[in-house]
Each structure stands twice: as structure tokens, then as C-alpha cells.
Amino acid sequence: MSQAPGAQPNRPPIYHERQRLELCAVHALNNVLQQQLFSQEAADEICKRPLSQLALPQVLGLILNLPSPMSLGLLSLPLRRRHWVALRQVDGVYYNLDSKLRVPEALGDEDGVRAFLAGALAQGLCEVLLVVTKEVEEKGCWLRTD
């Protein structure tokens, strides 16, 4: 725990985790909660567990931030950039609407999109944002309770 620079001596101590590796989400959670509650392992487990509990019919779409390899022509570079990808259900079929694809890629039903998400999460350094209506967000019904 560190005191913020320039902090007044009469102010209470402020919990502040500094950046380590690429754990900024963990640090942000702990800093907001003002104590070390989350570890990388705990955050990873939380990310994996809600995958099976997602109430996909309640989710309008998903946006993934994935590592994306860089290349110059046929030469692959040892660098990775980040790329945003959209997933959405249309007429009962989930699609990968990645802007780098020539055409949308059919992922299939809920099992297909869950398999795609599991594969993306297994690669590591993947973020998933859920797009839901205000009503779904307020009710918190994007997760199954069973």
C-alpha cells in the first residue's frame, strides 16, 4: 500500500496498487475496493465461470478485445496489437462480425458461440464486453441463476 504523492498528513491512508505486469483490471478492482481482494487467479476464474452462466438470449451482442498478430505481407512480426471483434445473433445463428473478415463467420447456436468465447479466453489477454439493453442491465438478468 502506498500513500498518494502530495497527500495531506491528516487524510486517511489510501490503498493504491501500482501497475505490475498486465494486471490493470485486478489493480483497478482492488483500488476501487480499497483493499487487496482480487488476485490474477481469482479474476481469471471469475471470467471463465460466468461464460457458462451467460443468459445469451438476454445479450444483444458481445464485443471482444483480442491480441492480433502483425505482419508485413507474408512476413509475420513478433508484435501483437489489439483488435476489437463483434459477435451477434441474427435469426437464431451467432456470427463473428470481425471487420477483418471478408464476410461474417457463422458460429452456430449458443454452444458454438460459447466454444468461440472459450477459445478466445484460453488464448489469454482477451476482454469480453456484453452489450445489453438498459432493462437487462438494471435487472441483472444477463446471468442465469440456475
Side-chain angles (χ1 to χ4, degrees):
M1 185 165 101
S2 67
Q3 186 94 1
Q8 302 295 326
N10 58 349
R11 288 193 183 180
I14 298 173
Y15 184 86
H16 179 245
E17 286 184 9
R18 301 235 355 187
Q19 182 70 27
R20 185 177 61 84
L21 303 174
E22 292 195 15
L23 301 175
C24 48
V26 172
H27 299 313
L29 282 168
N30 289 337
N31 287 340
V32 165
L33 297 171
Q34 285 294 285
Q35 58 184 310
Q36 185 179 0
L37 289 177
F38 288 93
S39 64
Q40 177 182 1
E41 294 78 19
D44 289 345
E45 181 58 32
I46 290 168
C47 288
K48 291 173 187 169
R49 189 172 14 124
L51 182 57
S52 63
Q53 295 174 325
L54 282 179
L56 286 171
Q58 301 295 326
V59 176
L60 183 61
L62 300 104
I63 299 176
L64 284 64
N65 187 262
L66 304 166
S68 180
M70 290 182 61
S71 62
L72 286 172
L74 298 175
L75 179 63
S76 185
L77 300 175
L79 304 171
R80 290 213 179 264
R81 298 181 77 173
R82 308 294 297 167
H83 181 62
W84 294 94
V85 174
L87 306 179
R88 166 113 193 203
Q89 182 207 53
V90 178
D91 293 332
V93 177
Y94 286 89
Y95 290 90
N96 176 354
L97 302 172
D98 185 344
S99 60
K100 290 184 176 181
L101 296 173
R102 292 174 78 84
V103 296
E105 172 189 19
L107 301 174
D109 59 8
E110 285 190 22
D111 290 338
V113 77
R114 287 181 199 281
F116 182 87
L117 288 168
L121 290 169
Q123 291 179 19
L125 300 177
C126 172
E127 297 169 304
V128 179
L129 305 175
L130 300 180
V131 181
V132 298
T133 64
K134 185 171 180 66
E135 179 183 356
V136 167
E137 191 274 328
E138 287 173 349
K139 291 181 180 177
C141 57
W142 49 272
L143 283 179
R144 293 190 290 203
T145 56
D146 56 330

